[in-house]
Every structure is written in C-alpha cells, then in structure tokens.
Amino acid sequence: MYAASATSSRYPAPLPAIQRFLMNVPEWIGRILGGGLSSRGIGLQWAILLGLSILFFLLLHATRLPAALLLGPMAAAIVVAAAGGSIRLPMRPFIIAQGVIGCLIALSIRPAALAEMLHDWPLFLVVIGSVLLASNALGWLLTRWQVLPGTTAIWGSSPGAASAMTLMAEAFGADIRLVAFMQYLRVVFVAIVASAVSSIWVAAPVAPVPEIVWFPAISWLGLAQTLILIALGSSLAVRLRIPAGPLLVPLVVGVVLQNTGMMEIVLPPWLLAASYAFVGWNIGSRFTRPILVHAARALPRVVASILTLIAICGGIAAILVWVADVDPLTAYLATSPGGADSVAIIAASSDVDVAFVMAMQTSRFIVVLLTGPAIARFIAKRTGV
C-alpha cells in the first residue's frame, strides 16, 4: 500500500542522505545482527529492545529534547521491528499508559491558564485561530498532494500535544505510525528553533542537563487516587468504546476533580517513564520497511510544511508584538506550534511572561483537542480521502 504510494515517483534519485539512511536501516540492522531478529528468541529481542531504549533515551536526553522518554523507546522499537523482531506488546499496558498521559495533560490545565484566556479572550481567539488555520491548510495540502495516506497529514499537522494527537489519530482512522513521524519531527524542529530564538534574547551560560530524580518524595494518597482514576477511566472508556477514550476520560475527569480540590494528580517520573515506554514501543513496533520507505519519501515535503508553519507562527508573533505590545520572545514562545513542554522549559529559563506563554499553549491544546476530529472529518470530505 505504502510502497506503491502516489508519492513514490515524485522524488528523483539520488535521494538525500537522510532519506537513503531511513530506507536502508532494515538492511543495515540485518547485517549487524547476522540476518536479523526473526530467528532469535523473544528473550533476546526484549533484551535488545530494553537496551536500545535506554541508550536512545540517554542520547536524546543529553540533547535536552523533552520528548526523549517517548522517542527513545519508539526509536528502539522501530529498529527491532525493522530487523525482523516479533515482539507483540499486550494492549492492557498500552491502554493504561494512555490514561497516564491523559492525567499528565490534566495536570497542566490549571484555573490560572483558563483565567488568563478569559481575560484576553479576543486576543487568544485570533492567535489560536490563526495558528490552527495555517496548520490545517498545510495538512490539507499534504493530503491533497497524497504525501501521506488518508487523514494522516491532517492529524500530523495539528499544532500541540504530540502524544495526545498521535493517540487520538488512531482512534479516528489515521495511521498512528506516520502521525507520530510528523508530530515528533515537528517537536524536534520546534525545540531547536525555539532554543535558537531564545538564545538571541537571553545571553546566559548553558546550564547542565537536568538530572531526573526517579523516586522523589510523593503523596501516596494522591498517587493512589491517580492510579484509581487511570484504571477506572481507561476501563470505562474501553467498555463504552469511546474514541480515544483511554486518554480522554482520565483527562476530562482529572481536570474536573483536580481543579475542584477533590483529588491531587500525582505522577512520579518512574510511572511516566514506563507509560511513555509502552506508548513508544507500541507505535514503533508497528513500523515496517514499506512504512520507513514511505516516511523517507515524504520527508522533504513534511519538513517543508513544518518549517513553513514555524515561519507563519513567527509572523503571527510579530503581529502580536505590534498590536498587543507583547515582548518579542514572549510572543514567539506563545505562538510556537506545539512542543508545549519544550516551550515551558525555555520560557522558565528566560525573561518572559511565563503565565501568558503557557496560557496560550494550554488554550490552543484545549481547542485542538475539542476540534481535531471534526476538522479532520471536514478536510477529509473536501479532499475525498
């Protein structure tokens, strides 16, 4: 299906180096492992998967990439799958992991952000609407040009909460592997560009990579309440067959219970790491050679769309500076397309209005969360996919 895509003839040989690298990964892995993993035991495959996950996480964490906990295991699973691995992950941990991510998102939706949005709602409406219009227009173009199949490009272009958009996309019929490819490629680009823009305004020495405290002191009552919410919410969602329910039910219920003081959401780093690993492994293990080839062929246009969206958001930030008298760095970080966690880290270490930045990022995520499925269906009908 993917190898015979309409895009396959649009990129003349020789392909750029990064495309050739992606397309030859399975063959190289097979040579290194002496014919691949198809004839190796499941125990050895799991050992390789765990070892590569830790290695890739450490490498990505050293580069300060906020999504390293998910990207490391996903990259490891892609390598194992491309080498002929036969690991089949159980669905129950994947469902629970989605509930953990839902609670993590709920933890970031605070009354302060909502109050900031309501106070300046016309400004927020215009800025968020402009970013969504630009991202959906680019998704529509990629869909119309058949760069990616079905509604994959639409979900992949959604500006915010990469993990949530990736998980929701599968529930609404998009290819979770290629959506993850688009979403996390944008996370990397946004993090790099945002860091570069920040360094122009903030001439500060480079801080060491923060150390993760895996087992901090926590509220055990809060953890117990959170685990009950995750278990009951995800189970109810599966039973009621709610699209993307294992993510959305704990998210919505968590926001209500947390902000009414009825519970405290507690997510220790070890729980987040395990959850991200299961999500990354689940997505990565589905990659095949045809998918890698398709991603490689789509890479130039996907990168072009990401850079275009970043540039458009930069233009929106410039207008925000002129119209609303917001300082340039605050405006840029507030309008940055996605990667809210990386934006939060940069904003916290810069002289910006952190409350405004996070209110804009959080508000846009809420809007994307509510409108994403309807927009995907609307564009799909107009493009005939």
Side-chain angles (χ1 to χ4, degrees), residues 18-58:
I18 191 169
Q19 292 177 289
R20 292 199 301 272
F21 173 80
L22 287 173
M23 295 172 70
N24 290 320
V25 161
E27 180 181 348
W28 293 340
I29 294 172
R31 291 178 181 176
I32 293 172
L33 297 175
L37 291 174
S38 57
S39 60
R40 307 299 174 92
I42 292 296
L44 177 61
Q45 293 183 33
W46 268 107
I48 293 173
L49 178 62
L50 291 171
L52 288 178
S53 297
I54 295 171
L55 174 62
F56 290 156
F57 161 71
L58 292 175

Side-chain angles (χ1 to χ4, degrees), residues 190-204 328-330 332-333 342-343 345-352:
V190 167
I192 292 172
V193 174
S195 297
V197 170
S198 176
S199 67
I200 296 174
W201 274 275
V202 182
L329 185 54
T330 295
Y332 180 78
L333 293 177
S342 57
V343 169
I345 293 171
I346 296 168
S349 60
S350 307
D351 185 18
V352 300

Side-chain angles (χ1 to χ4, degrees), residues 8 48 75 105 124 128 134 140 150 160 202 238 254 266 278 304 308 311-312 341 361 369 377 382:
S8 61
I48 293 173
I105 296 170
F124 276 67
I128 293 172
W140 173 78
V202 182
V238 171
V266 175
F278 270 106
T308 300
I312 292 173
D341 45 5
Q361 290 282 341
L369 192 68
R377 286 193 293 266
R382 296 301 182 275

Side-chain angles (χ1 to χ4, degrees), residues 133-188:
L133 180 62
S135 63
N136 286 314
L138 290 168
W140 173 78
L141 287 174
L142 292 175
T143 301
R144 187 174 180 82
W145 293 335
Q146 298 181 352
V147 176
L148 295 169
T151 60
T152 298
I154 303 168
W155 285 100
S157 299
S158 297
S163 56
M165 291 301 101
T166 301
L167 294 171
M168 286 180 63
E170 182 182 36
F172 289 93
D175 190 311
I176 190 173
R177 300 162 295 187
L178 294 175
V179 171
F181 162 69
M182 285 188 69
Q183 285 284 349
Y184 288 101
L185 187 62
R186 189 177 69 239
V187 166
V188 172

Side-chain angles (χ1 to χ4, degrees), residues 291-319:
I291 285 291
L292 287 173
V293 171
H294 191 88
R297 294 189 184 279
L299 185 65
R301 291 190 180 183
V302 171
V303 170
S305 71
I306 291 171
L307 295 178
T308 300
L309 182 59
I310 291 174
I312 292 173
C313 289
I316 295 171
I319 296 173

